[in-house]
Amino acid sequence: MPVGELFLSAFLQVLFDRLASRELLQLALQDDVLSELEKWGTRWSYIDALLIDAEEKQLTNRAVKMWLDDLQDLAYDVEDILDEFDTHALELKIMADRHPSIGCVRNIIPDCFSSLSPHAIKFKVSMKSKIKDINSQFEDLYEAKDNLGLTTAISGGSSTAAYRRLADTCVPTEPGVYGRDDDKARILEMVLRDEPSNAKFHVITIAGMGGIGKTTLTREVYNDKEVKDFNPKVWVSVSEDFDVQRISKAILESIKLSPCCLTDLNPIQLTMSEQLRDKKFFLVLDDVWSEGDINNNWESLKSPFMVGAPGSKIVVTTRDRRVASTMGNDECYNLELLSDHDCWAIFKKHAFQGKDVDPDGISDFVREKVVEKCKGLPLAARALGGFLRSE
């Protein structure tokens, strides 16, 4: 995937997750703009689907290159508005702390301040105007796709579409991981802990927003020498489509390290049960979404795991805490954002690799701007570094 499209796609993912945050939605509801912000998430997803085709066509079509530039400018404008919401929310919480007698619940944005104070009223009017302008730009960009001949990866059959959907594997992609030593130690402790239990397996969920490094961290745990006593060890990428037959077949093929010719779920799961019986297994289900009927699908998928040996572990990575509660919620580890220091380290590695440049000589102002754009997400730091390295 070209680094420019990777950076923009990663940046859009940051915006997706910020738009879905509880604090933002609560404040937007009080400011009467909730429906508009919910539409933004849908519009971004439509435009994000066009990125692959646009990245290829910009090489021969200057108008497409201008479209991508406009899209990036719009993304920055949306980010600025979200930053304004964050600042406004902080101001309201400070006001609530200073006036506890009003009776607003601590740590929740109070209706009394957001609706009555002159500052809040002025903010609401300003936001509505800015959101209206953003919506107009959204519509212009999306309508322009037909004139530019842009199509989604699915409908257009882009040559790089398969690469975009490439699943993550257990094979390390980075020689080193920054800022996750403590997280790795804690998750390893969960995986290796042997607690008396009637359950044959224990589910550990690693939750966090897209791009925060859940898969990278889980890969570090999976390949650690401390988990060598688990047998078999299995890694399966799930993503949006929680297809029980596909996942079961992938697990079976990973255990046997050979193709599975079975075509029905029943024989696949019977064979899985035979392979797992009385064995202490370690299974990773990477990137599980909450789309569809995940509750019934999980009940169906986990049935062969019941024959494993006590102490078996299943690690699930997900963006959605609802997945954790559905799949057992034995333990949920919430992965936090990286520090500015670690984001800068990742950025330096990818931006200056093979370049005759001393990154330590870069000004503090530039460094602050870079880590500000990363928002604590290693994916954003890596994508931004790769994007700038190519320039």
Side-chain angles (χ1 to χ4, degrees), residues 174-210:
E174 297 279 347
V177 177
Y178 296 89
R180 294 302 188 197
D181 290 345
D182 289 344
D183 297 305
K184 178 182 175 182
R186 291 170 188 160
I187 295 171
L188 265 176
E189 190 273 330
M190 294 179 190
V191 171
L192 298 174
R193 186 189 306 153
D194 256 338
E195 296 178 343
S197 173
N198 294 327
K200 290 296 183 74
F201 62 88
H202 193 72
V203 178
I204 301 166
T205 308
I206 302 176
M209 67 172 61

mmCIF file of all heavy atoms in Angstrom, residues 174-210:
data_model
loop_
_atom_site.group_PDB
_atom_site.id
_atom_site.type_symbol
_atom_site.label_atom_id
_atom_site.label_comp_id
_atom_site.label_asym_id
_atom_site.label_seq_id
_atom_site.Cartn_x
_atom_site.Cartn_y
_atom_site.Cartn_z
ATOM 1 N N GLU A 174 8.156 -5.960 13.021
ATOM 2 C CA GLU A 174 9.043 -4.914 13.509
ATOM 3 C C GLU A 174 10.159 -5.547 14.330
ATOM 4 O O GLU A 174 9.915 -6.472 15.109
ATOM 5 C CB GLU A 174 8.285 -3.925 14.410
ATOM 6 C CG GLU A 174 7.182 -3.165 13.703
ATOM 7 C CD GLU A 174 7.707 -1.987 12.919
ATOM 8 O OE1 GLU A 174 8.873 -1.614 13.121
ATOM 9 O OE2 GLU A 174 6.954 -1.432 12.100
ATOM 10 N N PRO A 175 11.418 -5.077 14.168
ATOM 11 C CA PRO A 175 12.515 -5.613 14.971
ATOM 12 C C PRO A 175 12.414 -5.242 16.436
ATOM 13 O O PRO A 175 12.996 -5.900 17.291
ATOM 14 C CB PRO A 175 13.758 -4.974 14.330
ATOM 15 C CG PRO A 175 13.258 -3.734 13.667
ATOM 16 C CD PRO A 175 11.864 -4.052 13.211
ATOM 17 N N GLY A 176 11.653 -4.190 16.746
ATOM 18 C CA GLY A 176 11.492 -3.776 18.128
ATOM 19 C C GLY A 176 10.180 -3.053 18.313
ATOM 20 O O GLY A 176 9.647 -2.450 17.386
ATOM 21 N N VAL A 177 9.629 -3.109 19.517
ATOM 22 C CA VAL A 177 8.365 -2.462 19.838
ATOM 23 C C VAL A 177 8.626 -1.440 20.931
ATOM 24 O O VAL A 177 9.291 -1.732 21.922
ATOM 25 C CB VAL A 177 7.312 -3.491 20.302
ATOM 26 C CG1 VAL A 177 6.020 -2.801 20.704
ATOM 27 C CG2 VAL A 177 7.048 -4.501 19.195
ATOM 28 N N TYR A 178 8.081 -0.244 20.751
ATOM 29 C CA TYR A 178 8.357 0.849 21.674
ATOM 30 C C TYR A 178 7.226 1.038 22.688
ATOM 31 O O TYR A 178 6.054 1.013 22.333
ATOM 32 C CB TYR A 178 8.546 2.165 20.905
ATOM 33 C CG TYR A 178 9.744 2.169 19.986
ATOM 34 C CD1 TYR A 178 9.637 1.722 18.677
ATOM 35 C CD2 TYR A 178 10.982 2.623 20.433
ATOM 36 C CE1 TYR A 178 10.738 1.726 17.825
ATOM 37 C CE2 TYR A 178 12.086 2.640 19.587
ATOM 38 C CZ TYR A 178 11.952 2.188 18.288
ATOM 39 O OH TYR A 178 13.038 2.194 17.451
ATOM 40 N N GLY A 179 7.619 1.239 23.950
ATOM 41 C CA GLY A 179 6.683 1.684 24.971
ATOM 42 C C GLY A 179 5.676 0.659 25.460
ATOM 43 O O GLY A 179 4.700 1.030 26.113
ATOM 44 N N ARG A 180 5.886 -0.618 25.188
ATOM 45 C CA ARG A 180 4.894 -1.616 25.580
ATOM 46 C C ARG A 180 5.464 -2.687 26.518
ATOM 47 O O ARG A 180 4.837 -3.734 26.698
ATOM 48 C CB ARG A 180 4.316 -2.305 24.336
ATOM 49 C CG ARG A 180 3.497 -1.394 23.427
ATOM 50 C CD ARG A 180 2.343 -0.777 24.158
ATOM 51 N NE ARG A 180 1.420 -0.045 23.266
ATOM 52 C CZ ARG A 180 0.536 0.822 23.698
ATOM 53 N NH1 ARG A 180 0.442 1.096 24.985
ATOM 54 N NH2 ARG A 180 -0.268 1.442 22.847
ATOM 55 N N ASP A 181 6.606 -2.459 27.122
ATOM 56 C CA ASP A 181 7.207 -3.470 27.995
ATOM 57 C C ASP A 181 6.302 -3.813 29.172
ATOM 58 O O ASP A 181 6.098 -4.992 29.494
ATOM 59 C CB ASP A 181 8.567 -2.989 28.512
ATOM 60 C CG ASP A 181 9.632 -2.943 27.415
ATOM 61 O OD1 ASP A 181 9.377 -3.548 26.349
ATOM 62 O OD2 ASP A 181 10.680 -2.318 27.616
ATOM 63 N N ASP A 182 5.759 -2.793 29.841
ATOM 64 C CA ASP A 182 4.891 -3.048 30.990
ATOM 65 C C ASP A 182 3.606 -3.743 30.562
ATOM 66 O O ASP A 182 3.122 -4.666 31.244
ATOM 67 C CB ASP A 182 4.550 -1.729 31.697
ATOM 68 C CG ASP A 182 5.741 -1.136 32.433
ATOM 69 O OD1 ASP A 182 6.731 -1.876 32.649
ATOM 70 O OD2 ASP A 182 5.707 0.060 32.769
ATOM 71 N N ASP A 183 3.033 -3.307 29.430
ATOM 72 C CA ASP A 183 1.814 -3.948 28.930
ATOM 73 C C ASP A 183 2.066 -5.422 28.624
ATOM 74 O O ASP A 183 1.261 -6.293 28.977
ATOM 75 C CB ASP A 183 1.323 -3.240 27.664
ATOM 76 C CG ASP A 183 0.929 -1.793 27.911
ATOM 77 O OD1 ASP A 183 0.089 -1.553 28.795
ATOM 78 O OD2 ASP A 183 1.476 -0.904 27.241
ATOM 79 N N LYS A 184 3.183 -5.690 27.985
ATOM 80 C CA LYS A 184 3.504 -7.079 27.642
ATOM 81 C C LYS A 184 3.664 -7.924 28.893
ATOM 82 O O LYS A 184 3.159 -9.057 28.961
ATOM 83 C CB LYS A 184 4.783 -7.128 26.808
ATOM 84 C CG LYS A 184 5.207 -8.545 26.448
ATOM 85 C CD LYS A 184 6.514 -8.562 25.664
ATOM 86 C CE LYS A 184 6.975 -10.004 25.429
ATOM 87 N NZ LYS A 184 8.270 -10.061 24.704
ATOM 88 N N ALA A 185 4.344 -7.390 29.899
ATOM 89 C CA ALA A 185 4.560 -8.139 31.137
ATOM 90 C C ALA A 185 3.236 -8.474 31.822
ATOM 91 O O ALA A 185 3.045 -9.598 32.327
ATOM 92 C CB ALA A 185 5.463 -7.342 32.074
ATOM 93 N N ARG A 186 2.309 -7.523 31.828
ATOM 94 C CA ARG A 186 1.021 -7.747 32.485
ATOM 95 C C ARG A 186 0.178 -8.782 31.744
ATOM 96 O O ARG A 186 -0.468 -9.632 32.359
ATOM 97 C CB ARG A 186 0.257 -6.431 32.590
ATOM 98 C CG ARG A 186 0.881 -5.445 33.567
ATOM 99 C CD ARG A 186 0.251 -4.081 33.463
ATOM 100 N NE ARG A 186 0.957 -3.089 34.261
ATOM 101 C CZ ARG A 186 0.882 -1.787 34.073
ATOM 102 N NH1 ARG A 186 0.122 -1.315 33.094
ATOM 103 N NH2 ARG A 186 1.549 -0.942 34.838
ATOM 104 N N ILE A 187 0.192 -8.702 30.413
ATOM 105 C CA ILE A 187 -0.599 -9.667 29.645
ATOM 106 C C ILE A 187 0.026 -11.061 29.725
ATOM 107 O O ILE A 187 -0.685 -12.072 29.833
ATOM 108 C CB ILE A 187 -0.744 -9.196 28.182
ATOM 109 C CG1 ILE A 187 -1.559 -7.905 28.144
ATOM 110 C CG2 ILE A 187 -1.418 -10.266 27.331
ATOM 111 C CD1 ILE A 187 -1.596 -7.234 26.809
ATOM 112 N N LEU A 188 1.347 -11.126 29.693
ATOM 113 C CA LEU A 188 2.011 -12.422 29.865
ATOM 114 C C LEU A 188 1.643 -13.047 31.206
ATOM 115 O O LEU A 188 1.415 -14.262 31.304
ATOM 116 C CB LEU A 188 3.530 -12.256 29.777
ATOM 117 C CG LEU A 188 4.190 -12.507 28.422
ATOM 118 C CD1 LEU A 188 5.677 -12.203 28.491
ATOM 119 C CD2 LEU A 188 3.949 -13.930 27.936
ATOM 120 N N GLU A 189 1.572 -12.211 32.233
ATOM 121 C CA GLU A 189 1.207 -12.719 33.555
ATOM 122 C C GLU A 189 -0.198 -13.308 33.528
ATOM 123 O O GLU A 189 -0.468 -14.348 34.127
ATOM 124 C CB GLU A 189 1.312 -11.574 34.570
ATOM 125 C CG GLU A 189 1.203 -12.020 36.027
ATOM 126 C CD GLU A 189 -0.236 -12.086 36.508
ATOM 127 O OE1 GLU A 189 -1.068 -11.304 36.006
ATOM 128 O OE2 GLU A 189 -0.541 -12.946 37.372
ATOM 129 N N MET A 190 -1.116 -12.659 32.804
ATOM 130 C CA MET A 190 -2.480 -13.187 32.673
ATOM 131 C C MET A 190 -2.481 -14.521 31.929
ATOM 132 O O MET A 190 -3.187 -15.462 32.298
ATOM 133 C CB MET A 190 -3.362 -12.193 31.917
ATOM 134 C CG MET A 190 -3.614 -10.883 32.615
ATOM 135 S SD MET A 190 -4.655 -9.813 31.548
ATOM 136 C CE MET A 190 -4.552 -8.253 32.432
ATOM 137 N N VAL A 191 -1.694 -14.585 30.855
ATOM 138 C CA VAL A 191 -1.658 -15.794 30.036
ATOM 139 C C VAL A 191 -1.063 -16.966 30.805
ATOM 140 O O VAL A 191 -1.540 -18.114 30.701
ATOM 141 C CB VAL A 191 -0.853 -15.536 28.747
ATOM 142 C CG1 VAL A 191 -0.611 -16.836 27.988
ATOM 143 C CG2 VAL A 191 -1.572 -14.534 27.853
ATOM 144 N N LEU A 192 -0.038 -16.718 31.592
ATOM 145 C CA LEU A 192 0.683 -17.794 32.271
ATOM 146 C C LEU A 192 0.069 -18.160 33.621
ATOM 147 O O LEU A 192 0.425 -19.190 34.201
ATOM 148 C CB LEU A 192 2.144 -17.381 32.485
ATOM 149 C CG LEU A 192 2.941 -17.115 31.199
ATOM 150 C CD1 LEU A 192 4.320 -16.571 31.525
ATOM 151 C CD2 LEU A 192 3.042 -18.377 30.352
ATOM 152 N N ARG A 193 -0.842 -17.313 34.108
ATOM 153 C CA ARG A 193 -1.434 -17.570 35.419
ATOM 154 C C ARG A 193 -2.284 -18.831 35.381
ATOM 155 O O ARG A 193 -3.142 -19.014 34.520
ATOM 156 C CB ARG A 193 -2.291 -16.371 35.813
ATOM 157 C CG ARG A 193 -2.857 -16.441 37.241
ATOM 158 C CD ARG A 193 -3.870 -15.328 37.442
ATOM 159 N NE ARG A 193 -3.303 -14.024 37.110
ATOM 160 C CZ ARG A 193 -4.025 -12.999 36.698
ATOM 161 N NH1 ARG A 193 -5.325 -13.135 36.500
ATOM 162 N NH2 ARG A 193 -3.449 -11.837 36.439
ATOM 163 N N ASP A 194 -2.053 -19.729 36.338
ATOM 164 C CA ASP A 194 -2.840 -20.957 36.449
ATOM 165 C C ASP A 194 -3.730 -20.846 37.675
ATOM 166 O O ASP A 194 -3.273 -21.022 38.807
ATOM 167 C CB ASP A 194 -1.932 -22.185 36.568
ATOM 168 C CG ASP A 194 -1.868 -22.975 35.277
ATOM 169 O OD1 ASP A 194 -2.793 -22.841 34.473
ATOM 170 O OD2 ASP A 194 -0.896 -23.713 35.079
ATOM 171 N N GLU A 195 -4.981 -20.538 37.458
ATOM 172 C CA GLU A 195 -5.917 -20.382 38.554
ATOM 173 C C GLU A 195 -6.870 -21.563 38.583
ATOM 174 O O GLU A 195 -7.320 -22.038 37.532
ATOM 175 C CB GLU A 195 -6.712 -19.090 38.399
ATOM 176 C CG GLU A 195 -5.863 -17.828 38.466
ATOM 177 C CD GLU A 195 -6.698 -16.575 38.255
ATOM 178 O OE1 GLU A 195 -7.827 -16.707 37.756
ATOM 179 O OE2 GLU A 195 -6.215 -15.493 38.594
ATOM 180 N N PRO A 196 -7.181 -22.075 39.773
ATOM 181 C CA PRO A 196 -8.157 -23.173 39.864
ATOM 182 C C PRO A 196 -9.489 -22.736 39.277
ATOM 183 O O PRO A 196 -10.021 -21.690 39.634
ATOM 184 C CB PRO A 196 -8.266 -23.418 41.379
ATOM 185 C CG PRO A 196 -7.035 -22.824 41.971
ATOM 186 C CD PRO A 196 -6.663 -21.674 41.093
ATOM 187 N N SER A 197 -9.991 -23.504 38.353
ATOM 188 C CA SER A 197 -11.245 -23.139 37.700
ATOM 189 C C SER A 197 -11.860 -24.360 37.047
ATOM 190 O O SER A 197 -11.155 -25.286 36.623
ATOM 191 C CB SER A 197 -10.985 -22.062 36.644
ATOM 192 O OG SER A 197 -12.152 -21.812 35.892
ATOM 193 N N ASN A 198 -13.188 -24.353 36.982
ATOM 194 C CA ASN A 198 -13.891 -25.433 36.287
ATOM 195 C C ASN A 198 -13.875 -25.242 34.777
ATOM 196 O O ASN A 198 -14.130 -26.176 34.019
ATOM 197 C CB ASN A 198 -15.336 -25.513 36.775
ATOM 198 C CG ASN A 198 -15.425 -25.931 38.234
ATOM 199 O OD1 ASN A 198 -14.600 -26.713 38.705
ATOM 200 N ND2 ASN A 198 -16.428 -25.412 38.945
ATOM 201 N N ALA A 199 -13.590 -24.003 34.345
ATOM 202 C CA ALA A 199 -13.577 -23.711 32.912
ATOM 203 C C ALA A 199 -12.347 -24.318 32.259
ATOM 204 O O ALA A 199 -11.255 -24.321 32.829
ATOM 205 C CB ALA A 199 -13.604 -22.208 32.686
ATOM 206 N N LYS A 200 -12.525 -24.824 31.046
ATOM 207 C CA LYS A 200 -11.416 -25.431 30.326
ATOM 208 C C LYS A 200 -10.507 -24.389 29.688
ATOM 209 O O LYS A 200 -9.353 -24.675 29.381
ATOM 210 C CB LYS A 200 -11.947 -26.384 29.247
ATOM 211 C CG LYS A 200 -12.587 -27.638 29.814
ATOM 212 C CD LYS A 200 -11.544 -28.475 30.563
ATOM 213 C CE LYS A 200 -12.119 -29.762 31.088
ATOM 214 N NZ LYS A 200 -12.350 -30.765 30.039
ATOM 215 N N PHE A 201 -11.049 -23.195 29.441
ATOM 216 C CA PHE A 201 -10.211 -22.149 28.848
ATOM 217 C C PHE A 201 -10.579 -20.804 29.460
ATOM 218 O O PHE A 201 -11.661 -20.618 30.022
ATOM 219 C CB PHE A 201 -10.347 -22.115 27.321
ATOM 220 C CG PHE A 201 -11.724 -21.805 26.827
ATOM 221 C CD1 PHE A 201 -12.150 -20.499 26.634
ATOM 222 C CD2 PHE A 201 -12.627 -22.827 26.549
ATOM 223 C CE1 PHE A 201 -13.421 -20.203 26.184
ATOM 224 C CE2 PHE A 201 -13.903 -22.551 26.103
ATOM 225 C CZ PHE A 201 -14.313 -21.237 25.920
ATOM 226 N N HIS A 202 -9.663 -19.858 29.330
ATOM 227 C CA HIS A 202 -9.801 -18.540 29.926
ATOM 228 C C HIS A 202 -9.656 -17.516 28.805
ATOM 229 O O HIS A 202 -8.721 -17.597 28.006
ATOM 230 C CB HIS A 202 -8.698 -18.358 30.965
ATOM 231 C CG HIS A 202 -8.888 -17.190 31.877
ATOM 232 N ND1 HIS A 202 -9.833 -17.160 32.873
ATOM 233 C CD2 HIS A 202 -8.246 -15.995 31.942
ATOM 234 C CE1 HIS A 202 -9.744 -16.020 33.525
ATOM 235 N NE2 HIS A 202 -8.802 -15.281 32.974
ATOM 236 N N VAL A 203 -10.575 -16.534 28.737
ATOM 237 C CA VAL A 203 -10.548 -15.531 27.684
ATOM 238 C C VAL A 203 -9.950 -14.229 28.225
ATOM 239 O O VAL A 203 -10.387 -13.713 29.252
ATOM 240 C CB VAL A 203 -11.964 -15.247 27.126
ATOM 241 C CG1 VAL A 203 -11.902 -14.161 26.052
ATOM 242 C CG2 VAL A 203 -12.575 -16.521 26.551
ATOM 243 N N ILE A 204 -8.952 -13.716 27.518
ATOM 244 C CA ILE A 204 -8.325 -12.440 27.853
ATOM 245 C C ILE A 204 -8.562 -11.498 26.675
ATOM 246 O O ILE A 204 -8.177 -11.813 25.536
ATOM 247 C CB ILE A 204 -6.815 -12.595 28.103
ATOM 248 C CG1 ILE A 204 -6.566 -13.566 29.249
ATOM 249 C CG2 ILE A 204 -6.168 -11.237 28.381
ATOM 250 C CD1 ILE A 204 -5.129 -14.024 29.342
ATOM 251 N N THR A 205 -9.194 -10.368 26.937
ATOM 252 C CA THR A 205 -9.485 -9.409 25.873
ATOM 253 C C THR A 205 -8.542 -8.221 25.975
ATOM 254 O O THR A 205 -8.369 -7.656 27.050
ATOM 255 C CB THR A 205 -10.939 -8.907 25.971
ATOM 256 O OG1 THR A 205 -11.819 -10.016 26.036
ATOM 257 C CG2 THR A 205 -11.296 -8.068 24.760
ATOM 258 N N ILE A 206 -7.936 -7.865 24.849
ATOM 259 C CA ILE A 206 -7.116 -6.659 24.768
ATOM 260 C C ILE A 206 -7.912 -5.655 23.945
ATOM 261 O O ILE A 206 -8.142 -5.856 22.755
ATOM 262 C CB ILE A 206 -5.753 -6.935 24.119
ATOM 263 C CG1 ILE A 206 -5.008 -8.010 24.909
ATOM 264 C CG2 ILE A 206 -4.921 -5.660 24.042
ATOM 265 C CD1 ILE A 206 -3.682 -8.428 24.281
ATOM 266 N N ALA A 207 -8.350 -4.572 24.590
ATOM 267 C CA ALA A 207 -9.245 -3.608 23.949
ATOM 268 C C ALA A 207 -8.543 -2.268 23.781
ATOM 269 O O ALA A 207 -7.749 -1.848 24.622
ATOM 270 C CB ALA A 207 -10.520 -3.442 24.763
ATOM 271 N N GLY A 208 -8.857 -1.594 22.692
ATOM 272 C CA GLY A 208 -8.290 -0.269 22.443
ATOM 273 C C GLY A 208 -8.665 0.207 21.059
ATOM 274 O O GLY A 208 -9.083 -0.580 20.194
ATOM 275 N N MET A 209 -8.541 1.508 20.816
ATOM 276 C CA MET A 209 -8.935 2.074 19.535
ATOM 277 C C MET A 209 -8.044 1.578 18.403
ATOM 278 O O MET A 209 -6.945 1.047 18.626
ATOM 279 C CB MET A 209 -8.895 3.606 19.598
ATOM 280 C CG MET A 209 -7.520 4.207 19.748
ATOM 281 S SD MET A 209 -7.529 6.017 19.593
ATOM 282 C CE MET A 209 -8.578 6.495 20.935
ATOM 283 N N GLY A 210 -8.517 1.722 17.178
ATOM 284 C CA GLY A 210 -7.760 1.304 16.014
ATOM 285 C C GLY A 210 -6.432 2.037 15.919
ATOM 286 O O GLY A 210 -6.370 3.247 16.125
#
